């Protein structure tokens, strides 16, 4: 009696591949498994990078504003930032607009890959009273306009240098910037590099300071260029801090200016805020710097200015 041999099964056979079998790759490729594995692996690694890598950054090539009532950020070119208003050029239609800061949910300044410190690093340092990375660059007068009719002779390049020296007096009116006793933000600053700014102030043509019409249609752009052209000093990285005087007005007893923080490595601005301040006090140095001292104290003691800065630059839903 003949025994019938079973015909080979022609259907699909599921079996665990032998890892020692040289034909394993061929079998996997023919079944499409290698392609599927690669796709799932790529997707998993991409998701991991997006969600879990702390160094993952998205750089913005332009300034951006998130206006109340809008869902998307607007690409802009900042012209001026003060406590009360922000002036900017809308890059979509190139119109120049001015909006109250309380109409802005979030301001983001442009960033570059070479930056080491960003706005969030500065805000965290302010909140934690950590000034270890701050470098004081002094007061810059290269854009100042002076109104003091009949007393012009009192204003010289030497006065600009004297004001910077006055601010640096460890036991003087600005002692709270340098002292380590009071646990406030913007205190205990021990890195100073103000000579590059002094040298630039020395080159100012005083007669130009009395031409009250401003030639700076975009003061923020002027500040950016000034920082970019700042001579390198002792510190190659950290957060630079300086004050740009815009005006000295004896008739109103006021000064105006911008407090600016920038990443020293890339020279990109990470925070800027301007205001108008009351002048007071005896001696030219103190009279025209008291408003700056009060301005800094309003940040240091977590007053109105401190809250406005946190609100403007630290929108909670930003990427």
């Amino acid at each position: 009696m003949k025994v019938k041999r079973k015909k080979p099964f022609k259907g699909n056979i599921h079996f665990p591949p032998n890892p020692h079998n040289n034909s394993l790759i061929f079998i996997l490729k023919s079944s499409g498994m290698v392609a599927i594995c690669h796709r799932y692996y790529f997707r998993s690694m991409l998701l991991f990078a997006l969600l879990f890598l702390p160094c993952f950054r998205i750089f913005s090539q332009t300034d951006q504003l998130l206006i109340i009532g809008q869902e998307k950020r607007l690409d802009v070119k900042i012209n001026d930032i003060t406590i009360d208003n922000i002036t900017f050029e809308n890059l979509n239609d190139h119109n120049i607009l001015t909006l109250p800061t309380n109409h802005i949910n979030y301001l983001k300044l442009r960033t570059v890959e070479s930056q080491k410190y960003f706005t969030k690093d500065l805000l965290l340092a302010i909140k934690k009273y950590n000034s270890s990375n701050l470098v004081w660059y002094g007061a810059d007068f290269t854009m100042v306009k002076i109104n003091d009719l009949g007393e012009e002779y009192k204003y010289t390049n030497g006065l600009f240098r004297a004001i910077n020296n006055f601010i640096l007096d460890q036991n003087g009116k600005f002692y709270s910037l340098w002292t380590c006793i009071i646990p406030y933000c913007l205190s205990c600053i021990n890195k100073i590099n103000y000579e590059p700014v002094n040298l630039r102030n020395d080159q100012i043509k005083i007669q130009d300071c009395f031409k009250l019409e401003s030639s700076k249609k975009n003061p923020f752009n002027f500040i950016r260029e000034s920082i970019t052209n700042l001579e390198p000093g002792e510190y190659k990285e950290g957060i630079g801090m300086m004050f740009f005087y815009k005006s000295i007005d004896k008739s109103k007893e006021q000064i105006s200016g911008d407090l600016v923080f920038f990443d020293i490595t890339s020279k990109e601005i990470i925070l800027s805020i301007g205001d108008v301040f009351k002048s007071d006090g005896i001696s030219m140095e103190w009279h025209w710097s008291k408003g700056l001292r009060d301005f800094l104290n309003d940040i240091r003691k977590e007053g109105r200015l401190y809250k406005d800065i946190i609100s403007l630059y630290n929108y909670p839903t930003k990427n």
Side-chain angles (χ1 to χ4, degrees):
M1 177 176 152
K2 293 183 178 180
V3 178
K4 293 183 178 180
R5 294 182 179 178
K6 292 183 179 181
K7 294 181 179 180
F9 184 68
K10 295 183 179 180
N12 293 328
I13 300 176
H14 299 279
F15 62 92
N18 180 357
H20 301 291
N21 190 339
N22 291 332
S23 63
L24 174 60
I25 299 300
F26 172 79
I27 295 172
L28 290 176
K29 283 183 178 179
S30 63
S31 63
M33 291 179 66
V34 169
I36 293 172
C37 290
H38 276 242
R39 284 199 298 270
Y40 281 127
Y41 176 77
F42 176 77
R43 289 172 184 171
S44 299
M45 293 306 294
L46 179 60
L47 183 62
F48 175 80
L50 290 173
L51 297 180
F52 298 106
L53 288 182
C55 60
F56 189 82
R57 297 187 186 276
I58 299 176
F59 296 95
S60 58
Q61 299 302 311
T62 64
D63 305 315
Q64 296 178 328
L65 293 178
L66 182 58
I67 301 172
I68 289 177
Q70 296 187 358
E71 295 182 357
K72 294 182 63 177
R73 297 178 190 172
L74 189 66
D75 288 336
V76 301
K77 182 178 181 181
I78 298 293
N79 287 14
D80 202 14
I81 306 171
T82 70
I83 287 295
D84 299 314
N85 299 297
I86 296 180
T87 303
F88 60 93
E89 177 186 346
N90 185 342
L91 295 183
N92 292 327
D93 54 22
H94 299 289
N95 286 330
I96 305 297
L97 303 171
T98 298
L99 289 180
T101 50
N102 58 11
H103 288 191
I104 306 295
N105 265 345
Y106 175 53
L107 165 63
K108 180 178 177 59
L109 300 178
R110 72 185 188 193
T111 52
V112 295
E113 292 187 10
S114 60
Q115 273 184 242
K116 293 193 175 182
Y117 291 92
F118 296 80
T119 307
K120 65 179 182 61
D121 300 314
L122 174 61
L123 294 178
L124 182 61
I126 290 175
K127 288 180 180 179
K128 298 293 185 180
Y129 304 159
N130 178 12
S131 297
S132 59
N133 292 318
L134 293 183
V135 182
W136 173 252
Y137 277 77
D140 185 294
F141 292 88
T142 52
M143 64 190 300
V144 72
K145 295 299 177 183
I146 302 172
N147 179 23
D148 193 352
L149 294 177
E151 303 292 331
E152 290 87 352
Y153 68 93
K154 294 181 179 179
Y155 299 90
T156 65
N157 302 87
L159 174 62
F160 301 152
R161 185 175 281 269
I163 289 175
N164 264 315
N165 291 336
F166 181 83
I167 293 171
L168 282 178
D169 185 354
Q170 301 285 323
N171 299 312
K173 303 290 187 180
F174 286 80
Y175 76 93
S176 51
L177 273 177
W178 324 116
T179 183
C180 295
I181 299 174
I182 305 173
Y184 286 139
C185 60
L186 304 186
S187 294
C188 199
I189 298 175
N190 53 35
K191 296 177 181 178
I192 298 169
N193 184 31
Y194 77 126
E195 194 55 29
V197 173
N198 266 341
L199 292 175
R200 193 157 65 184
N201 289 336
D202 290 343
Q203 303 303 313
I204 296 172
K205 296 179 180 179
I206 296 298
Q207 61 270 25
D208 292 340
C209 298
F210 299 104
K211 298 175 183 177
L212 298 185
E213 67 281 0
S214 177
S215 60
K216 308 295 186 299
K217 294 182 179 180
N218 189 330
F220 193 69
N221 191 56
F222 178 85
I223 291 172
R224 272 181 163 150
E225 290 178 358
S226 295
I227 291 175
T228 299
N229 296 328
L230 197 63
E231 289 296 324
E234 176 184 354
Y235 301 100
K236 307 305 179 185
E237 64 177 58
I239 299 175
M241 174 184 175
M242 59 193 299
F243 183 76
F244 284 83
Y245 274 79
K246 282 183 178 176
S247 69
I248 291 176
D249 193 335
K250 182 63 176 178
S251 65
K252 296 179 180 179
E253 288 293 358
Q254 289 178 343
I255 68 170
S256 68
D258 297 275
L259 181 64
V260 178
F261 298 86
F262 61 96
D263 172 63
I264 294 175
T265 302
S266 64
K267 294 186 177 179
E268 287 291 332
I269 297 176
I270 59 178
L271 191 148
S272 175
I273 201 77
D275 207 353
V276 177
F277 325 105
K278 192 70 178 174
S279 299
D280 195 9
I282 300 174
S283 85
M284 293 285 283
E285 295 89 344
W286 175 225
H287 193 85
W288 296 121
S289 65
K290 181 182 182 297
L292 171 58
R293 199 278 305 267
D294 296 340
F295 188 54
L296 293 168
N297 280 344
D298 204 11
I299 302 176
R300 183 178 298 106
K301 297 179 181 178
E302 302 182 14
R304 174 183 65 92
L305 183 57
Y306 175 90
K307 294 174 183 177
D308 287 344
I309 289 174
I310 297 299
S311 175
L312 183 61
Y313 282 92
N314 196 35
Y315 190 58
T317 60
K318 69 180 184 294
N319 292 329

